[in-house]
Amino acid sequence: MRNTRSTQLLTELSQPGRRAVVLPKCDVPETPLSELLPADALADNPPALPELAEPEVVRHYTNLSTLNMSVDTHYYPLGSCTMKYNPKRNERLASLPGIVDLHPYQPEDSLQGMLQLLFELQDFLTEISGLPAVSLQPAAGAHGEWTALMAAAAYFRSIGQESRKLVLSPDSSHGTNPASAQMAGFTAVTVRTVDGAVDMDDLRSKLNDQVAVFMITNPSTLGLFETQMAEIADAVHAAGGLIYLDGANMNAVLGISRPGDIGADMMHYNPHKTFSGPHGGGGPGAGPICVAEKLGPFLPSPIVVKAGDKYRLDYDRPNSIGRVRTFFGNVGVLVRAYCYILSYGPDGLKAVSENAVLNANYLLSKVKHFMPVPHGTRCMHEFVASAAKLKQEKGVTAMDVAKRLLDYGYHAPTVYFPLTVPEAMMIEPTETESKEMLDAFVETLFRITEESADLLHEAPHTTPISRPNEVAAARQPCLRAVCN
Ligand SMILES: *Cc1c(COP(=O)(O)O)cnc(C)c1O
């Protein structure tokens, strides 16, 4: 039972001979293609293009464009992704001709405005993080992790400790953490957590002179703040290691807790999460990193510096690991982050985080009555509920609930992550949702838990495609109505 708009999209509309445009008769002598092109460059048959009138084409694409869920059309509580509203003002500012018409090969003298913006953004990011050195180049959070780890490797080489090859991270960490460690040439080692907190005994037993970095996501993907940071930092530093703080969840702590103040030596931001850059569909994002003074010389080249009243790009960085991205990084996202930070200011950013945490706790306090939240009675920006009881009682899984939410016009929460919670549903409301929206969402979630298992197993019922094979959809995407 798909809806009618979806059915239309799956129907073949092409009719032989139908046209959107009728061109006037050619009034110059026509040269046959065979005289213009070599025979082997010519196709045997013309391509089988759809034949349609203009309104049909426009309707097709307009309808297609409304099938996706987006922050501008739906509530989007996708945990760990901070899908908050993207203020349109930032879009407008980032599209000003003075910004979009720049070419990165222009002489520095003619790029002073952009360089000033990037320089000031570097400053903002170091202030918010409490870490003094910065690179805006990485193109995504995971890329930032990898870049900082490459800088850490260069640092250890510079002090004759290239034998440090291990990167530890808790079992609750984001999957990109161990992946970045492996990509940067380290070996990833897992540290246990107990009820969402690092197991200090397990951490201590794994610290030795082979350990380069301890990577921790704080607040964690369970939405919990790791309160043992000082103890962790002391232990890791005493063993000669560095601390990497995955800052993807900075939306919970802006102006409240600075990674540099709680022992971190390196961190990345996800401006497309925390600073409201639009994201989804794979990008583009950005992953600026901030690091401690001693790691600064190893950051990618160039960085923006100010000499007198001029801004310029500093390439004179002999210890730099080099470039990790063309030009200055994904500048469009950085411009939006700059506008966002500047328009909120220090007090506004703190209020953003306070409201993000308030909204998450409000939802948690309601959801836990019908869907247990195994870790924590309070949370930061998000929490992880478990549909394990539903599964046990009536065979309904987190996936069933997530899919059914689509029928009610909500994007699903993140499911089956983190792996430490069975039938996990990770819910991140963000600060940009109203109390009415949160109430409506909880009511819907509750209603779904009361629905029949049969109905839920078949959900969603209103989308053109119900349950695609997600791996195949990513690896062998079929972008046509009818695929082989
Ligand atoms: C989103 C996220 C990342 C990865 O960021 P990308 O920009 O998607 O590469 C890393 N860690 C955590 C905790 C995240 O939520």
Side-chain angles (χ1 to χ4, degrees):
M1 181 193 39
R2 312 254 76 93
N3 71 9
T4 43
R5 201 180 54 188
S6 309
T7 312
Q8 266 168 16
L9 282 165
L10 293 178
T11 309
E12 182 54 67
L13 299 174
S14 178
Q15 292 294 334
R18 191 158 290 169
R19 288 290 177 273
V21 186
V22 181
L23 297 174
K25 246 188 149 31
C26 189
D27 61 357
V28 293
E30 278 186 64
T31 314
L33 271 182
S34 55
E35 286 176 28
L36 295 171
L37 292 169
D40 62 0
L42 293 173
D44 293 334
N45 297 299
L49 296 175
E51 299 177 78
L52 293 161
E54 183 170 323
E56 289 160 348
V57 176
V58 169
R59 278 179 202 148
H60 177 73
Y61 283 108
T62 306
N63 283 331
L64 262 189
S65 76
T66 63
L67 284 181
N68 233 341
M69 292 205 149
S70 72
V71 174
D72 284 355
T73 52
H74 297 85
Y75 178 39
Y76 209 126
L78 190 67
S80 199
C81 293
T82 317
M83 302 300 289
K84 59 180 171 184
Y85 177 71
N86 314 137
K88 296 298 164 258
R89 175 185 47 208
N90 299 346
E91 299 303 308
R92 190 170 59 82
L93 294 173
S95 339
L96 290 175
I99 288 175
V100 289
D101 293 346
L102 291 180
H103 193 285
Y105 279 147
Q106 277 176 229
E108 276 175 15
D109 264 352
S110 68
L111 287 173
Q112 286 297 302
M114 175 56 83
L115 293 180
Q116 179 180 353
L117 185 155
L118 297 174
F119 181 81
E120 290 178 4
L121 179 61
Q122 290 179 169
D123 240 23
F124 296 162
L125 296 180
T126 58
E127 184 176 340
I128 295 168
S129 67
L131 289 164
V134 56
S135 169
L136 301 178
Q137 257 184 41
H143 195 207
E145 294 169 24
W146 176 83
T147 304
L149 289 174
M150 294 299 282
Y155 163 75
F156 283 120
R157 271 198 303 280
S158 79
I159 57 169
Q161 297 189 11
E162 51 270 76
S163 59
R164 292 187 179 269
K165 281 288 171 213
L166 305 180
V167 171
L168 313 185
S169 58
D171 52 20
S172 63
S173 73
H174 195 264
T176 51
N177 294 182
S180 299
Q182 296 285 149
M183 293 292 288
F186 293 100
T187 302
V189 177
T190 303
V191 174
R192 262 201 314 270
T193 55
V194 182
D195 204 20
V198 172
D199 178 341
M200 290 304 295
D201 291 338
D202 194 41
L203 172 62
R204 287 213 174 83
S205 76
K206 286 171 179 160
L207 284 175
N208 55 41
D209 62 2
Q210 304 296 301
V211 172
V213 180
F214 178 67
M215 290 183 96
I216 180 164
T217 306
N218 197 17
S220 73
T221 47
L222 286 167
L224 301 176
F225 193 84
E226 174 55 75
T227 54
Q228 311 170 98
M229 273 309 290
E231 211 180 329
I232 292 171
D234 284 349
V236 172
H237 289 149
L242 298 169
I243 304 255
Y244 185 96
L245 190 143
D246 178 329
N249 298 332
M250 284 297 285
N251 209 47
V253 294
L254 294 171
I256 297 167
S257 153
R258 304 197 307 168
D261 296 344
I262 57 173
D265 303 291
M266 311 175 262
M267 66 146 327
H268 77 263
Y269 290 95
N270 295 64
H272 45 293
K273 298 178 183 171
T274 313
F275 302 130
S276 88
H279 64 300
I289 52 178
C290 291
V291 301
E293 191 105 50
K294 64 183 175 193
L295 294 165
F298 305 99
L299 290 182
S301 189
I303 55 168
V304 187
V305 294
K306 189 176 182 188
D309 55 2
K310 284 246 185 231
Y311 299 90
R312 61 179 186 81
L313 291 164
D314 181 12
Y315 288 91
D316 184 20
R317 302 169 48 73
N319 295 314
S320 165
I321 59 167
R323 262 191 186 287
V324 299
R325 179 76 173 78
T326 46
F327 304 119
F328 320 137
N330 280 342
V331 164
V333 184
L334 300 173
V335 171
R336 288 167 175 84
Y338 175 82
C339 298
Y340 186 84
I341 294 171
L342 206 57
S343 55
Y344 274 102
D347 295 340
L349 289 179
K350 189 170 175 214
V352 161
S353 286
E354 287 169 349
N355 285 312
V357 172
L358 180 64
N359 273 358
N361 279 286
Y362 180 70
L363 269 192
L364 182 152
S365 72
K366 299 209 151 200
V367 169
K368 70 176 182 196
H369 295 300
F370 57 90
M371 218 182 247
V373 177
H375 298 290
T377 48
R378 292 281 167 77
C379 65
M380 299 297 289
H381 58 297
E382 67 189 2
F383 62 93
V384 182
S386 168
K389 199 173 74 149
L390 266 185
K391 188 173 176 188
Q392 197 184 17
E393 285 171 2
K394 55 181 195 179
V396 167
T397 63
M399 184 61 83
D400 294 337
V401 177
K403 294 289 183 188
R404 183 63 174 150
L405 276 167
L406 304 177
D407 284 336
Y408 286 104
Y410 296 105
H411 193 283
T414 298
V415 289
Y416 299 107
F417 181 75
L419 305 173
T420 45
V421 174
E423 298 298 316
M425 303 202 70
M426 187 201 256
I427 302 174
E428 180 177 10
T430 83
E431 73 284 1
T432 57
E433 296 304 326
S434 66
K435 177 172 176 296
E436 293 74 30
M437 178 58 90
L438 301 181
D439 286 338
F441 175 72
V442 172
E443 213 166 283
T444 304
L445 199 57
F446 176 70
R447 185 161 150 192
I448 290 172
T449 63
E450 303 268 282
E451 287 181 331
S452 85
D454 286 347
L455 182 73
L456 296 178
H457 292 324
E458 298 290 312
H461 300 274
T462 57
T463 54
I465 295 167
S466 183
R467 298 205 186 193
N469 174 335
E470 287 171 9
V471 175
R475 303 245 161 100
Q476 295 146 346
C478 158
L479 306 177
R480 295 179 299 155
V482 187
C483 281
N484 305 327

